[in-house]
Amino acid sequence: MGRMQGEKKRAAEICRAKKNFLLLSHVDPDGDAIGSLLALGLSLRRAGKKVIMANPDGVPLLYRFLPAWDEVRCDYGELLARELAALEVIITLDTATGERLGDWSRILKKDSFVVLNIDHHLTNTRYGQINWIEAASSTGELVQVLLSELGWEIETDIALCLYTAIVTDTGSFRFENTTCDTHRNAALLLQKGINPAQVTEYIYETKPEAAVRLLGRALETLRISPDGRVAWLTITNSTLAVVGARGEDVNGIVNYAKEIAGVEVGILFQETREDLIKVSLRSRSRINVSEIAQRFGGGGHPRAAGCRVRGSLDRVREEVLAGVTAALAGGENTGAGDSQYS
Ligand code: 5GP
Ligand code: MN
């Protein structure tokens, strides 16, 4: 049995055998972090388990159409002593490093639980006792595979969470991580009765006005390297304040930089309140941006990665651009083969 198969089987055994779970996903959550969390949490509950679901930043407004979103807790300090005492298993979802759990990472340091780490980021640092790390479109897709391994029914509301995870992480089935399996799994979810047009309307067509105004401001900052292969956008704290946007409204804006003809790497630099610059990297087909992000303490996927770097906007921009330029000059070609379509 391959290691991955073994880890999947162990994950299933734990879900079947244990009773008290804490499920966690990463800071600054996206559709996969929230969708996989809710899908596995609700499934475990329906199997009679006690489950606490938590995310250090809570559920963004965008994902509040999902079932049980209001049961996701965010404040680690509010975890009661008796809840902590009853816990047997911590399952982390979509979370490549322990630090990506924010405050909740403290709980990993206690040795009284089994930590089951389920993720599709190949940069995952394997901080659990059981680490099921497998390349898939999304962690949601891995949860779907786990539920079928368990033989647990995927009810419509759980299908909605899984479909949201897959749609958001594949950019609506556009990105390189979309495979035959992804479509097959998504088809199974549609059979459970969800309405794909309605889901994508919730995700992409119910933006607050401020998010669209933020996009306008961000696009005005567009810069392109002299050779046309790197494009970057910048969002400062004051940009957010001027239009009244929230941090989560920034999601997706980096793609505009990458979508320009000839651009190989698109980057978004975003100031945060904590003297940290959030950097989002997207690559068209050749550069493995997760390697670049890892050099700055971050991670992700070959075509989509990120890091948070301490320092001023100017300095971080200069350092990351130098890293990207070096990768392009070295002709780094990792992560996957050249796109068959380019
Ligand atoms: P985004 O740019 O949309 O925030 O993230 C792109 C991808 O990189 C996602 O899969 C996300 O989980 C990962 N990522 C973003 N920021 C970080 C980071 O600071 N550390 C790690 N390990 N991964 C990150
Ligand atoms: Mn993901």
Side-chain angles (χ1 to χ4, degrees), residues 26-28 30 32 94-97 100 119-121 123-125 169 251-252 254 268 278-282 290 293-294 296-301 303-309:
H26 66 78
V27 287
D28 207 359
D30 54 17
D32 191 23
D94 202 39
T95 306
T97 65
R100 301 264 294 154
D119 190 16
H120 70 131
H121 295 97
T123 60
N124 191 292
T125 56
D169 259 27
N251 285 338
V254 61
L268 178 84
K278 195 183 154 202
V279 185
S280 283
L281 295 142
R282 297 292 184 272
S290 81
Q294 272 181 304
F296 290 93
H301 306 286
R303 306 288 167 253
C307 49
R308 286 151 199 254
V309 189

Side-chain angles (χ1 to χ4, degrees), residues 100-231:
R100 301 264 294 154
L101 294 172
D103 262 4
W104 292 78
S105 66
R106 281 186 271 165
I107 207 166
L108 297 182
K109 300 196 175 74
K110 301 187 193 296
D111 53 15
S112 40
F113 322 108
V114 178
V115 176
L116 165 58
N117 171 9
I118 303 179
D119 190 16
H120 70 131
H121 295 97
L122 299 182
T123 60
N124 191 292
T125 56
R126 310 186 77 89
Y127 51 83
Q129 275 100 55
I130 299 163
N131 301 284
W132 176 25
I133 313 304
E134 182 169 344
S137 68
S138 54
T139 302
E141 198 179 342
L142 293 178
V143 169
Q144 187 176 355
V145 169
L146 178 65
L147 295 177
S148 98
E149 173 78 24
L150 283 159
W152 292 357
E153 176 68 23
I154 298 178
E155 287 167 39
T156 312
D157 58 344
I158 292 169
L160 177 64
C161 301
L162 294 173
Y163 191 78
T164 299
I166 294 174
V167 164
T168 52
D169 259 27
T170 58
S172 308
F173 305 100
R174 288 182 303 131
F175 303 152
E176 207 176 67
N177 57 357
T178 306
T179 63
C180 299
D181 280 340
T182 315
H183 279 290
R184 277 192 205 101
N185 285 324
L188 288 172
L189 299 175
L190 294 192
Q191 278 179 337
K192 304 292 177 190
I194 59 165
N195 176 345
Q198 194 184 57
V199 178
T200 47
E201 186 181 336
Y202 282 135
I203 298 173
Y204 300 111
E205 294 169 14
T206 55
K207 292 190 176 92
E209 178 187 332
V212 179
R213 297 203 182 279
L214 176 68
L215 172 63
R217 298 257 170 175
L219 293 178
E220 282 171 16
T221 71
L222 176 70
R223 300 281 307 276
I224 302 184
S225 63
D227 66 2
R229 295 204 289 170
V230 187

